[in-house]
Amino acid sequence: MTFAPDVTERLARARADLRMGVPVVVAGQGLVLAAETLSAARLTDVLALGGAALAITDWRAATLKARAYDGDVARIALPVEARLGWVQALADPADDLANPMKGPLVSLREGDAELARAGITLCKAARLLPAAVIAPLSDPAGFAAEHALTVVEAGAVMDTTMAALDAVVSARVPLRVSDAGRLHIFRPEDGGEEHYAVEIGQPDRSKPVLARLHSACFTGDLLGSLKCDCGPQLNGALAQMGAEGAGVLLYLNQEGRGIGLTNKMRAYALQDQGFDTVEANHRLGFEDDERDFRIGAEILRKMGFGAVRLMTNNPAKITRMEGCGITVVERVPLLVGGNAHNQAYLATKAAKSGHLL
């Protein structure tokens, strides 16, 4: 019988559970709850188990002046009298400037950090703040069975293998820039968000194709936000492809450099407090860029392309694509979208992320 969920399906369940505030169990380790969706009742219950801690990234730990003895993560001991508001304030930097004193914080240095890393990784995959309340369990399997909780293996959580992509459907879509437009839909087998490829004309698969990897930007692409240059880049890339008569624009659902729209808005709120785009990501606990460029490379391969003329201002994107097996024969600049509202943003991309602007 094959009714039972496999490893990939259990991971998808775990992400959904955490988004709803439901705990998950890491096999052989313990309990994981997302700090963002934690309830007061469940916090009380997990504290009663003993040994509870808040797992945060080293970036967030640096902001909190907490010791990250485990290198990339820190485990902050949670006292039995901990309250929900305090725990969530450790995870969310929104009120750091108004309430900077959250300590003294005691970082755990003994024991294994595998449960902490798995918890943070699951929270990131669920597009939540990268902070997890964790608690060791003497009998994880029994606890999961008793409370009907999803069980995942730590190794599966930390596995960096990219989920397989399936080509679902494609159809002709006449566009303003070209009436020879076609939209391709690709669906990852891990239950993640779908990604899209906009094909202009009939590009020759034997030659480098004019291509753009465009990360979804709801605010810039749909609302015309002036805080970034995404909308003009999207339209400029399509216009150039239309003018040349051929090209492929990959529209990847990796909003906010891979942290999701909600976390991007948190970063925007931090920018309003005076932090630049990179500093905001770090205060939230994220890396500068959390995107997975293997997705774009795999879509290109599935469409029959092995070489591109890449439309980008980011040399690192060229390196990442070539590392994924796609030959980049030319960098095609895309210098559009600057305005009075995003000058500081573009300057930060140039100074800290190496963009050629």
Side-chain angles (χ1 to χ4, degrees):
M1 303 292 284
T2 57
F3 294 118
D6 62 18
V7 171
T8 299
E9 292 160 344
R10 288 199 299 273
L11 287 172
R13 279 189 181 182
R15 294 194 299 269
D17 287 349
L18 291 178
R19 287 181 63 84
M20 294 185 293
V22 178
V24 301
V25 169
V26 176
Q29 297 280 331
L31 198 64
V32 169
L33 302 94
E36 179 178 339
T37 55
L38 182 66
S39 68
R42 282 196 167 117
L43 175 61
T44 298
D45 290 342
V46 75
L47 291 173
L49 296 174
L54 178 69
I56 54 176
T57 69
D58 53 340
W59 286 118
R60 184 63 184 142
T63 297
L64 295 172
K65 302 296 188 290
R67 299 279 189 180
Y69 291 117
D70 302 309
D72 56 332
V73 301
R75 292 170 290 148
I76 308 299
L78 295 180
V80 293
E81 68 274 11
R83 294 292 179 262
L84 179 63
W86 178 74
V87 173
Q88 292 184 327
L90 293 180
D92 189 344
D95 295 323
D96 279 355
L97 298 187
N99 299 288
M101 302 303 293
K102 298 180 173 66
L105 303 176
V106 178
S107 296
L108 303 177
R109 61 190 309 170
E110 303 297 330
D112 193 283
E114 185 177 47
L115 180 61
R117 290 191 179 94
I120 290 172
T121 300
L122 283 169
C123 287
K124 282 186 176 184
R127 294 291 188 265
L128 300 171
L129 286 168
V133 172
I134 59 174
L137 296 170
S138 58
D139 180 15
F143 189 93
E146 179 183 356
H147 299 281
L149 299 178
T150 300
V151 180
V152 292
E153 299 282 345
V157 173
M158 303 305 295
D159 187 355
T160 59
T161 303
M162 192 190 82
L165 282 169
D166 295 325
V168 181
V169 67
S170 69
R172 188 178 69 87
V173 182
L175 305 173
R176 286 196 302 269
V177 299
S178 171
D179 59 7
R182 193 169 193 85
L183 182 62
H184 304 257
I185 309 296
F186 293 86
R187 180 179 297 157
E189 293 183 359
D190 65 353
E193 293 179 289
E194 294 168 346
H195 305 281
Y196 320 124
V198 182
E199 184 175 11
I200 302 296
Q202 296 181 326
D204 187 341
R205 265 59 175 173
S206 68
K207 298 179 181 179
V209 64
L210 181 63
R212 163 80 180 160
L213 271 70
H214 189 88
S215 298
C217 179
F218 173 78
T219 50
D221 299 342
L222 274 70
L223 304 184
S225 168
L226 300 177
K227 280 182 67 70
C228 64
D229 54 350
C230 301
Q233 285 191 326
L234 171 65
N235 293 320
L238 287 172
Q240 186 164 338
M241 292 174 188
E244 294 194 14
V248 175
L249 184 139
L250 306 184
Y251 197 87
L252 308 178
N253 275 309
Q254 301 189 100
E255 181 93 34
R257 297 196 191 100
I259 66 176
L261 180 59
T262 299
N263 287 318
K264 186 175 88 169
M265 290 300 97
R266 290 185 170 116
Y268 275 15
L270 292 175
Q271 290 171 37
D272 289 341
Q273 295 179 21
F275 300 102
D276 67 34
T277 182
V278 172
E279 292 167 343
N281 265 33
H282 290 172
R283 292 186 74 87
L284 286 165
F286 292 106
E287 300 293 337
D288 301 23
D289 194 335
E290 298 270 354
R291 290 176 291 184
D292 188 346
F293 289 101
R294 297 176 299 177
I295 297 170
E298 182 62 16
I299 290 175
L300 286 169
R301 275 191 291 270
K302 283 186 173 292
M303 294 182 69
F305 299 106
V308 298
R309 298 165 52 222
L310 190 62
M311 302 185 75
T312 183
N313 302 323
N314 184 5
K317 188 178 286 188
I318 296 174
T319 302
R320 299 275 292 273
M321 289 302 290
E322 290 184 329
C324 294
I326 298 296
T327 300
V328 180
V329 302
E330 178 188 359
R331 183 185 75 86
V332 180
L334 192 57
L335 299 175
V336 294
N339 63 72
H341 296 275
N342 64 18
Q343 287 179 351
Y345 166 77
L346 295 178
T348 298
K349 288 211 296 185
K352 293 188 175 182
S353 302
H355 288 227
L356 302 176
L357 301 172

